[in-house]
Amino acid sequence: MASKTPRRHTGRRSKWAAAALIGVGLLLTGGIYAGASAAMASTTSTDTASALTVEDGKKLFQANCATCHGLDLEGTADGPSLYGVGELSVEFQVSTGRMPLQAQGPQAPQKAPQFTEDQIKAMAAWVQSVAPGPTYPDEKILDGGGNLTEGAELFRINCAMCHNVAAAGGALTEGKYAPALTKTSPLHIYAAMVTGPQNMPVFNNMTITPDEKRDIISSLMYLQKSEPVGGFTLGSLGPVSEGLFIWIFGIGTLIGISVWITAKSN
């Protein structure tokens, strides 16, 4: 009896251990399978999103932009022709959220983009293949290594009348405005110069050379990184806004104190 009891006890323990091992094995197998499936799905989704072709760009354009610009970029009563605008204009307008336009107005406002970077590049590539125009610049133009002094002077002469000498933007006529450039990327600064979006004129290479464009971009990049040294800038809108602030709040405060002193003495 003494020799048989341990063997029966050992058998029961082996039975439960086997069941536990089976359960653990099933859980591990299921977890590994689920993790591998999720990783494969993520990889497939990423590859699909980044493998968009020019034909995909055509389909995206015709589904989202052709209502205003026409199936073949010919334009309609609601939107201009895109012949000759080039891929850089498409990248600028769509990646800044100005297009697709949500409502007609004096100017298309900047907002969050509705498409991914790959979708935007695919649409831009299709437009470039159908109606070539301005394209992406050399990396050197966007590297920030230009002449800052020359760039600031060129900006003051050619751009400050609309964008403000501090690149803070400004109001134009009929509800239009020049946007601030304090957060604009180097690529979009270049794109604006060569494509002339909204009310901006086109600055071709005969008007402002590529090296001068590099200088302007470099000076704006430096301005974006620099800290204001004059305290509160009131939006960097110049002496008019500062004088208005002083008149309203400074003179108003003095008048209020005078009235209070008079009333107190009476």
Side-chain angles (χ1 to χ4, degrees), residues 93-173:
Q93 295 287 354
V94 181
S95 64
T96 59
R98 291 178 168 90
M99 294 291 159
L101 189 65
Q102 290 183 338
Q104 294 291 341
Q107 188 164 323
Q110 184 173 351
K111 58 185 184 299
Q114 298 183 23
F115 301 94
T116 66
E117 183 179 354
D118 290 326
Q119 291 173 327
I120 294 170
K121 288 182 177 179
M123 285 190 285
W126 178 71
V127 171
Q128 185 73 4
S129 69
V130 175
T135 187
Y136 298 97
D138 294 335
E139 293 183 1
K140 178 182 177 181
I141 295 180
L142 310 178
D143 65 1
N147 188 310
L148 301 182
T149 303
E150 291 293 331
E153 181 67 12
L154 286 166
F155 181 84
R156 185 186 66 80
I157 295 172
N158 295 279
C159 317
M161 67 285 294
C162 294
H163 290 284
N164 182 278
V165 72
L172 302 176
T173 60

Side-chain angles (χ1 to χ4, degrees), residues 50-255:
S50 60
L52 295 178
T53 64
V54 173
E55 187 63 25
D56 294 324
K58 177 181 179 180
K59 294 176 181 178
L60 284 165
F61 182 92
Q62 292 182 341
N64 297 278
C65 314
T67 304
C68 295
H69 296 291
L71 290 172
D72 295 313
L73 313 181
E74 72 274 15
T76 68
D78 296 321
S81 166
L82 299 184
Y83 290 138
V85 301
E87 60 186 344
L88 193 56
S89 179
V90 176
E91 197 283 334
F92 175 87
Q93 295 287 354
V94 181
S95 64
T96 59
R98 291 178 168 90
M99 294 291 159
L101 189 65
Q102 290 183 338
Q104 294 291 341
Q107 188 164 323
Q110 184 173 351
K111 58 185 184 299
Q114 298 183 23
F115 301 94
T116 66
E117 183 179 354
D118 290 326
Q119 291 173 327
I120 294 170
K121 288 182 177 179
M123 285 190 285
W126 178 71
V127 171
Q128 185 73 4
S129 69
V130 175
T135 187
Y136 298 97
D138 294 335
E139 293 183 1
K140 178 182 177 181
I141 295 180
L142 310 178
D143 65 1
N147 188 310
L148 301 182
T149 303
E150 291 293 331
E153 181 67 12
L154 286 166
F155 181 84
R156 185 186 66 80
I157 295 172
N158 295 279
C159 317
M161 67 285 294
C162 294
H163 290 284
N164 182 278
V165 72
L172 302 176
T173 60
E174 299 178 352
K176 302 172 184 177
Y177 58 91
L181 303 177
T182 51
K183 296 182 179 179
T184 306
S185 69
L187 176 61
H188 289 164
I189 296 172
Y190 176 85
M193 285 193 281
V194 299
T195 64
Q198 308 292 334
N199 307 287
M200 185 170 173
V202 174
F203 294 100
N204 57 37
N205 290 340
M206 295 182 65
T207 306
I208 298 180
T209 66
D211 287 338
E212 290 174 336
K213 288 183 174 71
R214 183 192 185 202
D215 293 341
I216 293 174
I217 293 170
S218 299
S219 68
L220 289 173
M221 291 172 65
Y222 175 80
L223 188 64
Q224 290 175 354
K225 297 176 183 178
S226 62
E227 294 291 334
V229 296
F232 187 52
T233 61
L234 297 179
S236 296
L237 296 179
V240 174
S241 62
E242 295 169 3
L244 187 63
F245 179 86
I246 293 173
W247 176 263
I248 293 176
F249 293 96
I251 303 300
T253 301
L254 292 176
I255 293 174

